[in-house]
Amino acid sequence: MTTDLLLEVKDVSKSFHVPKGPNGNDRLRALDGIDLRLGKGETLGLVGESGCGKSTLARTLMLLERPDTGTVRFSGVDPFALRKNDLQRHRRRVQMVFQDPYASLNPRLTAAEIIAEPWRTHKDLFTTSRDRAARVRELLHLVGLRPSDANRYPQEFSGGQRQRIGIARALALGPDVVICDEPVSALDLSVQAQVLNLLNDLQRQLGVSYLFISHDLSVVRHVADRVAVMYLGRIVETGTTEEVFGHPRHPYTKALLSAAPTLRRADRDKTEKILLKGELPSPLDPPTGCRFRTRCWQATDLCATPPPASADPHGLGHTAECHFPLDGRVTAAR
């Protein structure tokens, strides 16, 4: 896997106007100083609770939302500064696979029409209907479907097959990045494994990069090279999958991992169970300083002040936004 930088997000914030809350605030800050990096051919897992801002970040990267502050760069280019033809060409580079394979496909279109739909906008990619039909057959084969499936409608496919059509549609423009927004959460477990293996195979063949959004830690552990943990609009921890799962440094990450189900008794026995106190704060009125401090078992008055810049004490690219980061290596050595 290459580590060439493809996508870089720096200090991105995004707020929305909403009806005033109990505190009189009418601005919901969905993203608050987001920093992310994605390399070519890499899978970055983005995890966190519902409402933490994962989908808002995905919409921002798809250029459906413009950040209030901060910068987004693809291969060094700011896509929000592009206009007309340059902007349209850029949109090919980032595509999305949606969560619900039942709602994301138009029931009035055949599989072939769904896959070919992006070419109605990007007309310069294929000049003849014969070329388009041939490419549809190639994409169907690529995602494990038959050429004869081209003329069938979504309701004639299973959930897993529908998601394969969604993946083929996402690949139709030859993107560099595919944003997978909970792509297997609506599928049965056995089908989930098939779709995840397909995504891995496609990455090896095509070199595409994934931003894989999920609340399911076991899924993220299976597919991601690196992990970013999100809480109330902030990235609180980033690192390789092995580092984050093996040595969580932020208390929120440790709490998430302790709540993740596992079938192995040895894993259950050695995992410290952490029960968080209190309710998830409202993004209309987030806590001062560390967003997690109202639920954190090791919080002090210092945590009401802004967290320090993420540090990487072991030089492993593993950072945590916390005044008192955990360190499993130190604990294990004692």
Side-chain angles (χ1 to χ4, degrees):
M1 181 191 69
T2 179
T3 56
D4 293 343
L5 184 62
L6 177 63
L7 165 66
E8 185 174 29
V9 178
K10 281 190 174 181
D11 198 29
V12 163
S13 296
K14 178 65 182 178
S15 297
F16 296 97
H17 179 79
V18 296
K20 286 186 178 181
N23 65 340
N25 191 0
D26 63 353
R27 300 295 297 179
L28 188 153
R29 196 159 195 177
L31 303 177
D32 186 11
I34 296 294
D35 291 328
L36 278 181
R37 295 161 66 91
L38 178 65
K40 293 181 179 179
E42 180 183 45
T43 298
L44 175 64
L46 183 63
V47 301
E49 295 171 90
S50 297
C52 71
K54 301 189 300 293
S55 293
T56 300
L57 178 58
R59 289 177 58 84
T60 302
L61 298 180
M62 290 289 293
L63 309 190
L64 300 176
E65 302 287 353
R66 178 179 286 272
D68 300 332
T69 60
T71 59
V72 176
R73 294 191 177 276
F74 285 88
S75 302
V77 176
D78 178 3
F80 293 98
L82 301 177
R83 296 291 182 269
K84 296 184 178 178
N85 292 340
D86 290 336
L87 177 60
Q88 181 161 311
R89 280 191 292 270
H90 169 79
R91 289 187 181 278
R92 301 175 186 173
R93 301 188 63 186
V94 189
Q95 295 295 303
M96 181 176 282
V97 176
F98 298 92
Q99 177 177 2
D100 188 349
Y102 297 92
S104 61
L105 305 182
N106 189 333
R108 298 185 178 183
L109 300 181
T110 64
E113 291 169 332
I114 290 169
I115 295 171
E117 195 170 15
W119 302 330
R120 296 174 59 185
T121 301
H122 302 271
K123 298 178 181 179
D124 59 314
L125 287 178
F126 296 100
T127 56
T128 68
S129 58
R130 177 177 294 180
D131 290 339
R132 288 193 294 271
R135 182 55 179 158
V136 165
R137 289 194 295 271
E138 290 175 3
L139 288 166
L140 285 170
H141 176 73
L142 194 64
V143 298
L145 296 175
R146 300 168 300 179
S148 58
D149 292 326
N151 296 320
R152 297 169 62 193
Y153 289 87
Q155 55 269 29
E156 300 178 65
F157 294 96
S158 67
Q161 290 173 323
R162 293 186 196 199
Q163 199 60 297
R164 290 171 186 265
I165 295 171
I167 293 170
R169 176 177 59 187
L171 297 175
L173 296 177
D176 298 313
V177 177
V178 175
I179 299 174
C180 302
D181 190 2
E182 301 274 8
V184 297
S185 63
L187 306 177
D188 294 338
L189 285 177
S190 60
V191 180
Q192 285 187 19
Q194 295 172 18
V195 173
L196 294 175
N197 289 335
L198 171 64
L199 290 171
N200 284 334
D201 291 342
L202 292 171
Q203 187 173 61
R204 284 193 292 270
Q205 294 178 53
L206 306 176
V208 66
S209 301
Y210 296 133
L211 176 62
F212 195 96
I213 299 172
S214 180
H215 66 275
D216 190 326
L217 295 176
S218 62
V219 168
V220 170
R221 191 170 195 171
H222 178 72
V223 301
D225 301 300
R226 291 190 304 115
V227 177
V229 182
M230 198 168 184
Y231 183 81
L232 271 185
R234 301 275 308 172
I235 299 294
V236 298
E237 182 165 0
T238 59
T240 65
T241 303
E242 181 180 1
E243 278 292 311
V244 171
F245 278 82
H247 308 282
R249 301 194 65 230
H250 196 282
Y252 176 62
T253 306
K254 188 173 181 67
L256 278 182
L257 292 173
S258 80
T262 177
L263 296 177
R264 295 178 59 188
R265 181 168 183 172
D267 290 340
R268 292 198 302 269
D269 291 343
K270 72 180 181 181
T271 301
E272 177 187 356
K273 296 301 180 184
I274 299 171
L275 297 178
L276 296 180
K277 298 179 181 179
E279 297 293 329
L280 181 69
S282 168
L284 274 172
D285 187 23
T288 57
C290 175
R291 296 286 177 90
F292 186 60
R293 68 179 178 84
T294 57
R295 304 171 75 192
C296 182
W297 63 94
Q298 61 178 24
T300 70
D301 292 342
L302 180 62
C303 298
T305 64
S310 296
D312 182 16
H314 301 290
L316 298 170
H318 186 186
T319 63
E321 188 181 83
C322 181
H323 286 288
F324 308 105
L326 310 172
D327 194 335
R329 293 178 181 78
V330 174
T331 301
R334 289 176 181 170

